[in-house]
Amino acid sequence: MEEQKSEAVLIGTWRSPYCQRVELALKVKGIPYEFIEEDLSNKSELLLSYNPVHKKVPVLVHKGKPIAESLVILEYIDEQWGDSPKLLPEDPYERAKVRFWANFYDQKIMPATLPIIMSKGREQEKAIDDMNELLREFEDGMKRDFPGKFDFDDSQNLGFLDIVVATYAGNYKAFNEAVAVAMSPEKTPQFWSWVNALKEHPLIKETLPPHDKLVAKMREKFYGQTTNV
Amino acid sequence: MGEEVKVFRTWSSPFALRVVWALDLKGIKYETIYEDLSNKSPLLLQYNPIHKKVPVLLHNSKPIAESLVILEYIEDTWKHRPLLPQDPHQRANARFWIKFGEDKVFPAVRDSLLKQGKEQEEAHEAALESFKLLEEELKGKKLFGGEEIGMVDIALGWLANLVSVLEEVLVLKFIDEHKFPLLSAWMRLFADIPVIKQSWPPRDKLVTKYIAIREARLATN
């Protein structure tokens, strides 16, 4: 039946922020989808056939055709389901600014968490400082390029950058508990008050992984610690 | 129309060339400002305070940085002679390969230039692996964009001229005609397209540049 083919299927994992981005985008647009939980230690034939290049999640399958890479998927969702609410602004210059900062977040800020996870003591402190330097740059960028960005209230629609940031920074409490208190509001207060406001948005609230489960998973994944949770 | 379009570039930046090609393909008139990266102009630092790099596109006083972001901006702003397909799934596929070029192909080739010994071997291997995937993607097509140059061709276009330069500098083969027939044919075809051909930086200067970069890097190790 035609209905089957037009259904959206998301192959992902419950703890991947990249997968949560896609979920949020689909939810914002009100698109029904099926979520297939992937076991990354034992990748399915489905995943390998739909993302042979990277063999990673998320993969969105729509009308039987796969799309990979979270930011590419977000742009696809915005174009395929072109009605409002729009994830990206209409104006080309505004779009360019959003894309610039989404790339900055993915290419600079997200990788900066790895040295924090992998180090201890003084080295870790330095890695935390480096991360905060980047967050400060990001915070300044938001203020300069998107005046009013930090006045987010949860009755607003989520946009591209809200989705990109909330899915990673939104898990800061779990990170602080499992790894180190790296994300401290005093250093970039406006950024974190924005993140906290985003976390109150109903869609984000229901999509971010449960705290305790995520802490346990982080400890297991980063440090090989298993807990009875 | 009173449009002011300026491109901040260097004589050799492969990233800036992407912007030049996109504007030239669309027939957009622009002013070029050449930067000396060892002595960056106040304007460049003002327009790209975050990365302080070229290229920067200035359109009616609005600065845009990051070559791939600029390409999308050019596509959004000047809709004639499209560089991306119309169909959302095909657009997603194009963006996927552009990202692949940036995340996998470029770093592997760059590290082949900058590293030595085992690290260089690994980078070279990774580059070859990435070319295999590009070769697959070209099946049934003469250009990544199909019959005409698209954004993927522009994003990967640096291969068409820098690969042979680096092969000479490193005495290392990257794209063997027999192993990668489609990719080799694509490089020749792309390099020969008039709009592209007219903007290649002088080859001998490029060889000198990359020899110097490698020597400087090895000296710091």
Side-chain angles (χ1 to χ4, degrees):
Chain A
M1 194 184 140
E2 204 49 56
E3 208 53 61
Q4 280 281 62
K5 278 228 155 155
S6 66
E7 203 183 66
V9 175
L10 173 58
I11 306 172
T13 64
W14 63 269
R15 55 180 166 75
S16 157
Y18 301 106
C19 298
Q20 285 149 32
R21 288 173 178 181
V22 179
E23 279 201 273
L24 279 171
L26 292 167
K27 287 178 180 183
V28 166
K29 295 271 190 182
I31 299 153
Y33 64 95
E34 183 195 341
F35 189 94
I36 297 178
E37 180 76 28
E38 184 68 33
D39 174 4
L40 293 178
S41 64
N42 183 20
K43 292 176 182 176
S44 69
E45 275 309 306
L46 197 69
L47 177 65
L48 298 176
S49 71
Y50 279 140
N51 190 1
V53 173
H54 300 298
K55 307 176 177 55
K56 285 185 181 175
V57 293
V59 177
L60 180 72
V61 186
H62 180 233
K63 294 185 185 173
K65 291 186 279 193
I67 306 110
E69 296 293 310
S70 67
L71 297 186
V72 174
I73 299 173
L74 255 49
E75 296 240 16
Y76 173 82
I77 289 171
D78 212 26
E79 288 171 354
Q80 178 64 39
W81 292 279
D83 295 337
S84 55
K86 300 291 272 177
L87 300 175
L88 280 165
E90 292 294 320
D91 175 73
Y93 186 56
E94 294 300 311
R95 290 162 81 85
K97 289 190 284 184
V98 167
R99 287 177 175 134
F100 177 92
W101 287 108
N103 286 344
F104 183 89
Y105 199 83
D106 270 12
Q107 283 155 24
K108 302 270 184 191
I109 293 180
M110 288 187 74
T113 53
L114 195 61
I116 300 175
I117 293 164
M118 306 294 285
S119 62
K120 288 201 261 270
R122 188 125 308 136
E123 253 191 72
Q124 193 182 57
E125 279 168 34
K126 165 129 206 329
I128 292 174
D129 282 342
D130 291 344
M131 159 82 115
N132 279 304
E133 200 40 60
L134 290 167
L135 285 177
R136 202 165 296 126
E137 254 190 319
F138 190 83
E139 186 184 74
D140 287 342
M142 292 298 101
K143 291 194 291 204
R144 196 173 49 240
D145 283 351
F146 307 105
K149 186 76 182 148
F150 292 140
D151 303 326
F152 183 85
D153 77 78
D154 51 64
S155 66
Q156 285 173 17
N157 281 317
L158 295 171
F160 201 89
L161 271 179
D162 301 316
I163 291 173
V164 165
V165 172
T167 48
Y168 202 71
N171 295 320
Y172 75 91
K173 288 189 179 165
F175 189 91
N176 282 355
E177 196 173 313
V179 181
V181 182
M183 327 268 181
S184 25
E186 325 87 64
K187 303 216 171 124
T188 42
Q190 285 169 291
F191 176 82
W192 291 110
S193 75
W194 175 43
V195 171
N196 283 324
L198 286 170
K199 280 162 69 82
E200 290 306 307
H201 190 285
L203 293 181
I204 292 185
K205 232 173 176 161
E206 76 181 33
T207 307
L208 288 184
H211 175 87
D212 289 340
K213 205 175 166 197
L214 189 59
V215 171
K217 193 67 191 179
M218 282 181 171
R219 285 191 173 134
E220 181 197 316
K221 189 170 176 228
F222 302 153
Y223 306 122
Q225 296 167 5
T226 44
T227 20
N228 300 319
V229 160
Chain B
M1 254 262 228
E3 295 223 76
E4 174 207 54
V5 184
K6 294 188 186 180
V7 175
F8 289 77
R9 60 172 292 194
T10 58
W11 67 272
S12 65
S13 159
F15 304 105
L17 270 182
R18 292 167 169 171
V19 177
V20 166
W21 293 333
L23 291 171
D24 286 349
L25 281 165
K26 293 200 185 240
I28 310 294
K29 300 269 171 281
Y30 57 93
E31 184 193 332
T32 301
I33 295 154
Y34 286 96
E35 283 286 327
D36 171 2
L37 294 181
S38 64
N39 185 21
K40 293 173 186 178
S41 72
L43 273 183
L44 180 66
L45 299 175
Q46 178 196 333
Y47 291 140
N48 190 3
I50 301 295
H51 301 297
K52 306 177 175 55
K53 286 180 179 176
V54 294
V56 172
L57 179 77
L58 193 69
H59 181 215
N60 294 335
S61 307
K62 292 173 291 192
I64 303 108
E66 294 292 285
S67 62
L68 298 182
V69 174
I70 297 172
L71 288 181
E72 295 264 10
Y73 175 82
I74 290 171
E75 182 72 353
D76 282 341
T77 303
W78 293 283
K79 298 196 190 287
H80 61 281
R81 182 41 179 101
L83 301 170
L84 283 173
Q86 291 305 307
D87 169 70
H89 191 265
Q90 287 178 29
R91 289 164 80 87
N93 191 54
R95 287 181 175 129
F96 175 90
W97 287 103
I98 291 170
K99 194 167 200 303
F100 179 80
E102 248 10 32
D103 291 350
K104 301 283 177 192
V105 184
F106 178 77
V109 174
R110 177 202 60 207
D111 287 350
S112 303
L113 172 70
L114 299 179
K115 313 251 181 207
Q116 47 183 338
K118 186 139 204 298
E119 281 188 297
Q120 187 193 43
E121 268 172 50
E122 284 168 358
H124 182 243
E125 256 317 299
L128 295 179
E129 285 305 310
S130 75
F131 298 144
K132 279 188 199 156
L133 291 161
L134 291 182
E135 183 78 11
E136 269 294 310
E137 180 57 18
L138 272 173
K139 282 208 166 100
K141 297 195 280 204
K142 53 179 197 176
L143 293 162
F144 288 99
E147 286 302 304
E148 292 197 312
I149 301 185
M151 208 184 274
V152 182
D153 300 287
I154 293 177
L156 292 171
W158 60 272
L159 286 166
N161 125 299
L162 281 187
V163 159
S164 86
V165 168
L166 294 178
E167 284 178 343
E168 184 179 324
V169 167
L170 298 172
V171 191
L172 198 56
K173 194 72 190 160
F174 283 100
I175 298 180
D176 181 305
E177 174 89 48
H178 303 288
K179 284 199 195 144
F180 305 109
L182 298 177
L183 200 51
S184 302
W186 171 78
M187 293 200 308
R188 279 193 302 272
L189 177 61
F190 183 85
D192 237 15
I193 291 169
V195 160
I196 305 298
K197 198 171 181 167
Q198 76 195 12
S199 34
W200 286 133
R203 195 175 189 285
D204 51 348
K205 270 183 93 177
L206 285 174
V207 170
T208 308
K209 168 184 164 169
Y210 286 105
I211 289 177
I213 288 176
R214 179 158 173 87
E215 281 179 358
R217 181 55 71 105
L218 295 188
T220 64
N221 282 344

PDB file of all heavy atoms in Angstrom, chain A residues 31-53:
ATOM      1  N   ILE A  31       5.704  14.747  11.756  1.00  0.00           N
ATOM      2  CA  ILE A  31       5.775  13.609  10.828  1.00  0.00           C
ATOM      3  C   ILE A  31       5.844  12.316  11.620  1.00  0.00           C
ATOM      4  O   ILE A  31       6.743  12.126  12.437  1.00  0.00           O
ATOM      5  CB  ILE A  31       7.035  13.721   9.951  1.00  0.00           C
ATOM      6  CG1 ILE A  31       6.984  15.006   9.128  1.00  0.00           C
ATOM      7  CG2 ILE A  31       7.169  12.516   9.021  1.00  0.00           C
ATOM      8  CD1 ILE A  31       8.332  15.523   8.782  1.00  0.00           C
ATOM      9  N   PRO A  32       4.896  11.408  11.373  1.00  0.00           N
ATOM     10  CA  PRO A  32       4.950  10.131  12.082  1.00  0.00           C
ATOM     11  C   PRO A  32       6.141   9.310  11.580  1.00  0.00           C
ATOM     12  O   PRO A  32       6.472   9.351  10.391  1.00  0.00           O
ATOM     13  CB  PRO A  32       3.629   9.444  11.712  1.00  0.00           C
ATOM     14  CG  PRO A  32       3.046  10.227  10.607  1.00  0.00           C
ATOM     15  CD  PRO A  32       3.804  11.489  10.412  1.00  0.00           C
ATOM     16  N   TYR A  33       6.791   8.602  12.497  1.00  0.00           N
ATOM     17  CA  TYR A  33       7.942   7.801  12.088  1.00  0.00           C
ATOM     18  C   TYR A  33       8.064   6.572  12.967  1.00  0.00           C
ATOM     19  O   TYR A  33       7.536   6.523  14.075  1.00  0.00           O
ATOM     20  CB  TYR A  33       9.225   8.628  12.161  1.00  0.00           C
ATOM     21  CG  TYR A  33       9.588   9.076  13.553  1.00  0.00           C
ATOM     22  CD1 TYR A  33      10.473   8.358  14.352  1.00  0.00           C
ATOM     23  CD2 TYR A  33       9.022  10.237  14.099  1.00  0.00           C
ATOM     24  CE1 TYR A  33      10.784   8.764  15.651  1.00  0.00           C
ATOM     25  CE2 TYR A  33       9.332  10.655  15.386  1.00  0.00           C
ATOM     26  CZ  TYR A  33      10.210   9.913  16.153  1.00  0.00           C
ATOM     27  OH  TYR A  33      10.513  10.323  17.426  1.00  0.00           O
ATOM     28  N   GLU A  34       8.758   5.598  12.426  1.00  0.00           N
ATOM     29  CA  GLU A  34       9.065   4.402  13.200  1.00  0.00           C
ATOM     30  C   GLU A  34      10.532   4.478  13.611  1.00  0.00           C
ATOM     31  O   GLU A  34      11.389   4.843  12.807  1.00  0.00           O
ATOM     32  CB  GLU A  34       8.836   3.172  12.300  1.00  0.00           C
ATOM     33  CG  GLU A  34       9.043   1.845  13.000  1.00  0.00           C
ATOM     34  CD  GLU A  34       9.178   0.690  12.004  1.00  0.00           C
ATOM     35  OE1 GLU A  34       8.754   0.857  10.834  1.00  0.00           O
ATOM     36  OE2 GLU A  34       9.727  -0.360  12.385  1.00  0.00           O
ATOM     37  N   PHE A  35      10.822   4.170  14.858  1.00  0.00           N
ATOM     38  CA  PHE A  35      12.206   4.210  15.346  1.00  0.00           C
ATOM     39  C   PHE A  35      12.723   2.790  15.467  1.00  0.00           C
ATOM     40  O   PHE A  35      12.114   1.958  16.128  1.00  0.00           O
ATOM     41  CB  PHE A  35      12.263   4.914  16.700  1.00  0.00           C
ATOM     42  CG  PHE A  35      13.669   5.188  17.182  1.00  0.00           C
ATOM     43  CD1 PHE A  35      14.266   6.414  16.932  1.00  0.00           C
ATOM     44  CD2 PHE A  35      14.393   4.231  17.876  1.00  0.00           C
ATOM     45  CE1 PHE A  35      15.567   6.681  17.379  1.00  0.00           C
ATOM     46  CE2 PHE A  35      15.699   4.488  18.308  1.00  0.00           C
ATOM     47  CZ  PHE A  35      16.278   5.712  18.063  1.00  0.00           C
ATOM     48  N   ILE A  36      13.828   2.524  14.787  1.00  0.00           N
ATOM     49  CA  ILE A  36      14.447   1.198  14.910  1.00  0.00           C
ATOM     50  C   ILE A  36      15.736   1.344  15.707  1.00  0.00           C
ATOM     51  O   ILE A  36      16.667   2.018  15.272  1.00  0.00           O
ATOM     52  CB  ILE A  36      14.739   0.583  13.525  1.00  0.00           C
ATOM     53  CG1 ILE A  36      13.438   0.365  12.762  1.00  0.00           C
ATOM     54  CG2 ILE A  36      15.503  -0.749  13.664  1.00  0.00           C
ATOM     55  CD1 ILE A  36      13.613  -0.202  11.364  1.00  0.00           C
ATOM     56  N   GLU A  37      15.760   0.733  16.880  1.00  0.00           N
ATOM     57  CA  GLU A  37      16.929   0.813  17.759  1.00  0.00           C
ATOM     58  C   GLU A  37      18.018  -0.110  17.228  1.00  0.00           C
ATOM     59  O   GLU A  37      17.797  -1.299  17.009  1.00  0.00           O
ATOM     60  CB  GLU A  37      16.533   0.416  19.190  1.00  0.00           C
ATOM     61  CG  GLU A  37      17.657   0.460  20.206  1.00  0.00           C
ATOM     62  CD  GLU A  37      18.044   1.869  20.655  1.00  0.00           C
ATOM     63  OE1 GLU A  37      17.173   2.762  20.636  1.00  0.00           O
ATOM     64  OE2 GLU A  37      19.213   2.083  21.019  1.00  0.00           O
ATOM     65  N   GLU A  38      19.192   0.474  17.008  1.00  0.00           N
ATOM     66  CA  GLU A  38      20.292  -0.276  16.444  1.00  0.00           C
ATOM     67  C   GLU A  38      21.264  -0.667  17.553  1.00  0.00           C
ATOM     68  O   GLU A  38      21.516   0.121  18.461  1.00  0.00           O
ATOM     69  CB  GLU A  38      21.004   0.620  15.411  1.00  0.00           C
ATOM     70  CG  GLU A  38      22.126   0.004  14.642  1.00  0.00           C
ATOM     71  CD  GLU A  38      21.706  -1.087  13.675  1.00  0.00           C
ATOM     72  OE1 GLU A  38      20.586  -0.980  13.130  1.00  0.00           O
ATOM     73  OE2 GLU A  38      22.486  -2.013  13.454  1.00  0.00           O
ATOM     74  N   ASP A  39      21.818  -1.868  17.463  1.00  0.00           N
ATOM     75  CA  ASP A  39      22.876  -2.272  18.391  1.00  0.00           C
ATOM     76  C   ASP A  39      24.197  -2.056  17.672  1.00  0.00           C
ATOM     77  O   ASP A  39      24.567  -2.821  16.766  1.00  0.00           O
ATOM     78  CB  ASP A  39      22.696  -3.742  18.780  1.00  0.00           C
ATOM     79  CG  ASP A  39      23.851  -4.278  19.636  1.00  0.00           C
ATOM     80  OD1 ASP A  39      24.754  -3.490  19.992  1.00  0.00           O
ATOM     81  OD2 ASP A  39      23.839  -5.485  19.949  1.00  0.00           O
ATOM     82  N   LEU A  40      24.923  -1.000  18.050  1.00  0.00           N
ATOM     83  CA  LEU A  40      26.118  -0.632  17.294  1.00  0.00           C
ATOM     84  C   LEU A  40      27.272  -1.621  17.466  1.00  0.00           C
ATOM     85  O   LEU A  40      28.229  -1.597  16.700  1.00  0.00           O
ATOM     86  CB  LEU A  40      26.569   0.788  17.654  1.00  0.00           C
ATOM     87  CG  LEU A  40      25.599   1.893  17.208  1.00  0.00           C
ATOM     88  CD1 LEU A  40      26.095   3.268  17.648  1.00  0.00           C
ATOM     89  CD2 LEU A  40      25.394   1.879  15.700  1.00  0.00           C
ATOM     90  N   SER A  41      27.165  -2.491  18.485  1.00  0.00           N
ATOM     91  CA  SER A  41      28.222  -3.501  18.641  1.00  0.00           C
ATOM     92  C   SER A  41      27.937  -4.702  17.746  1.00  0.00           C
ATOM     93  O   SER A  41      28.760  -5.600  17.616  1.00  0.00           O
ATOM     94  CB  SER A  41      28.318  -3.940  20.099  1.00  0.00           C
ATOM     95  OG  SER A  41      27.101  -4.571  20.479  1.00  0.00           O
ATOM     96  N   ASN A  42      26.773  -4.679  17.120  1.00  0.00           N
ATOM     97  CA  ASN A  42      26.376  -5.798  16.263  1.00  0.00           C
ATOM     98  C   ASN A  42      25.471  -5.247  15.158  1.00  0.00           C
ATOM     99  O   ASN A  42      24.253  -5.446  15.176  1.00  0.00           O
ATOM    100  CB  ASN A  42      25.645  -6.840  17.121  1.00  0.00           C
ATOM    101  CG  ASN A  42      25.266  -8.072  16.329  1.00  0.00           C
ATOM    102  OD1 ASN A  42      25.835  -8.334  15.276  1.00  0.00           O
ATOM    103  ND2 ASN A  42      24.276  -8.811  16.811  1.00  0.00           N
ATOM    104  N   LYS A  43      26.078  -4.523  14.237  1.00  0.00           N
ATOM    105  CA  LYS A  43      25.304  -3.732  13.283  1.00  0.00           C
ATOM    106  C   LYS A  43      24.447  -4.590  12.369  1.00  0.00           C
ATOM    107  O   LYS A  43      24.898  -5.614  11.847  1.00  0.00           O
ATOM    108  CB  LYS A  43      26.246  -2.840  12.468  1.00  0.00           C
ATOM    109  CG  LYS A  43      26.876  -1.762  13.330  1.00  0.00           C
ATOM    110  CD  LYS A  43      27.888  -0.891  12.607  1.00  0.00           C
ATOM    111  CE  LYS A  43      28.477   0.105  13.602  1.00  0.00           C
ATOM    112  NZ  LYS A  43      29.527   0.941  13.038  1.00  0.00           N
ATOM    113  N   SER A  44      23.214  -4.136  12.169  1.00  0.00           N
ATOM    114  CA  SER A  44      22.253  -4.902  11.375  1.00  0.00           C
ATOM    115  C   SER A  44      22.551  -4.776   9.891  1.00  0.00           C
ATOM    116  O   SER A  44      23.169  -3.810   9.436  1.00  0.00           O
ATOM    117  CB  SER A  44      20.839  -4.396  11.652  1.00  0.00           C
ATOM    118  OG  SER A  44      20.695  -3.088  11.124  1.00  0.00           O
ATOM    119  N   GLU A  45      22.050  -5.764   9.153  1.00  0.00           N
ATOM    120  CA  GLU A  45      22.139  -5.739   7.680  1.00  0.00           C
ATOM    121  C   GLU A  45      21.463  -4.488   7.152  1.00  0.00           C
ATOM    122  O   GLU A  45      21.910  -3.879   6.185  1.00  0.00           O
ATOM    123  CB  GLU A  45      21.420  -6.972   7.092  1.00  0.00           C
ATOM    124  CG  GLU A  45      22.275  -8.215   7.032  1.00  0.00           C
ATOM    125  CD  GLU A  45      23.613  -7.956   6.359  1.00  0.00           C
ATOM    126  OE1 GLU A  45      23.634  -7.432   5.216  1.00  0.00           O
ATOM    127  OE2 GLU A  45      24.654  -8.237   6.979  1.00  0.00           O
ATOM    128  N   LEU A  46      20.381  -4.119   7.822  1.00  0.00           N
ATOM    129  CA  LEU A  46      19.614  -2.934   7.435  1.00  0.00           C
ATOM    130  C   LEU A  46      20.499  -1.684   7.453  1.00  0.00           C
ATOM    131  O   LEU A  46      20.577  -0.947   6.465  1.00  0.00           O
ATOM    132  CB  LEU A  46      18.452  -2.762   8.422  1.00  0.00           C
ATOM    133  CG  LEU A  46      17.312  -1.845   8.007  1.00  0.00           C
ATOM    134  CD1 LEU A  46      16.528  -2.463   6.863  1.00  0.00           C
ATOM    135  CD2 LEU A  46      16.389  -1.582   9.191  1.00  0.00           C
ATOM    136  N   LEU A  47      21.192  -1.481   8.568  1.00  0.00           N
ATOM    137  CA  LEU A  47      22.050  -0.306   8.689  1.00  0.00           C
ATOM    138  C   LEU A  47      23.170  -0.346   7.652  1.00  0.00           C
ATOM    139  O   LEU A  47      23.449   0.633   6.974  1.00  0.00           O
ATOM    140  CB  LEU A  47      22.640  -0.208  10.093  1.00  0.00           C
ATOM    141  CG  LEU A  47      23.613   0.966  10.300  1.00  0.00           C
ATOM    142  CD1 LEU A  47      22.893   2.309  10.163  1.00  0.00           C
ATOM    143  CD2 LEU A  47      24.298   0.895  11.670  1.00  0.00           C
ATOM    144  N   LEU A  48      23.792  -1.515   7.529  1.00  0.00           N
ATOM    145  CA  LEU A  48      24.934  -1.636   6.617  1.00  0.00           C
ATOM    146  C   LEU A  48      24.514  -1.410   5.169  1.00  0.00           C
ATOM    147  O   LEU A  48      25.283  -0.885   4.368  1.00  0.00           O
ATOM    148  CB  LEU A  48      25.610  -2.997   6.787  1.00  0.00           C
ATOM    149  CG  LEU A  48      26.197  -3.238   8.173  1.00  0.00           C
ATOM    150  CD1 LEU A  48      26.759  -4.651   8.298  1.00  0.00           C
ATOM    151  CD2 LEU A  48      27.286  -2.220   8.505  1.00  0.00           C
ATOM    152  N   SER A  49      23.271  -1.791   4.853  1.00  0.00           N
ATOM    153  CA  SER A  49      22.835  -1.581   3.463  1.00  0.00           C
ATOM    154  C   SER A  49      22.405  -0.135   3.237  1.00  0.00           C
ATOM    155  O   SER A  49      22.580   0.398   2.153  1.00  0.00           O
ATOM    156  CB  SER A  49      21.712  -2.548   3.091  1.00  0.00           C
ATOM    157  OG  SER A  49      20.517  -2.189   3.752  1.00  0.00           O
ATOM    158  N   TYR A  50      21.878   0.519   4.287  1.00  0.00           N
ATOM    159  CA  TYR A  50      21.411   1.889   4.122  1.00  0.00           C
ATOM    160  C   TYR A  50      22.499   2.937   4.320  1.00  0.00           C
ATOM    161  O   TYR A  50      22.379   4.061   3.857  1.00  0.00           O
ATOM    162  CB  TYR A  50      20.243   2.183   5.069  1.00  0.00           C
ATOM    163  CG  TYR A  50      18.916   1.677   4.560  1.00  0.00           C
ATOM    164  CD1 TYR A  50      17.996   1.080   5.427  1.00  0.00           C
ATOM    165  CD2 TYR A  50      18.567   1.800   3.223  1.00  0.00           C
ATOM    166  CE1 TYR A  50      16.772   0.630   4.972  1.00  0.00           C
ATOM    167  CE2 TYR A  50      17.340   1.351   2.755  1.00  0.00           C
ATOM    168  CZ  TYR A  50      16.448   0.768   3.633  1.00  0.00           C
ATOM    169  OH  TYR A  50      15.233   0.323   3.181  1.00  0.00           O
ATOM    170  N   ASN A  51      23.556   2.592   5.042  1.00  0.00           N
ATOM    171  CA  ASN A  51      24.672   3.527   5.188  1.00  0.00           C
ATOM    172  C   ASN A  51      25.984   2.783   5.027  1.00  0.00           C
ATOM    173  O   ASN A  51      26.765   2.666   5.968  1.00  0.00           O
ATOM    174  CB  ASN A  51      24.608   4.246   6.543  1.00  0.00           C
ATOM    175  CG  ASN A  51      25.607   5.415   6.635  1.00  0.00           C
ATOM    176  OD1 ASN A  51      26.339   5.705   5.690  1.00  0.00           O
ATOM    177  ND2 ASN A  51      25.621   6.089   7.778  1.00  0.00           N
ATOM    178  N   PRO A  52      26.243   2.291   3.816  1.00  0.00           N
ATOM    179  CA  PRO A  52      27.443   1.489   3.593  1.00  0.00           C
ATOM    180  C   PRO A  52      28.730   2.305   3.744  1.00  0.00           C
ATOM    181  O   PRO A  52      29.757   1.770   4.117  1.00  0.00           O
ATOM    182  CB  PRO A  52      27.287   0.993   2.145  1.00  0.00           C
ATOM    183  CG  PRO A  52      26.337   1.955   1.496  1.00  0.00           C
ATOM    184  CD  PRO A  52      25.437   2.441   2.580  1.00  0.00           C
ATOM    185  N   VAL A  53      28.655   3.606   3.507  1.00  0.00           N
ATOM    186  CA  VAL A  53      29.857   4.430   3.561  1.00  0.00           C
ATOM    187  C   VAL A  53      30.360   4.592   4.994  1.00  0.00           C
ATOM    188  O   VAL A  53      31.527   4.379   5.276  1.00  0.00           O
ATOM    189  CB  VAL A  53      29.595   5.817   2.927  1.00  0.00           C
ATOM    190  CG1 VAL A  53      30.771   6.746   3.137  1.00  0.00           C
ATOM    191  CG2 VAL A  53      29.311   5.666   1.438  1.00  0.00           C
TER     192      VAL A  53
END
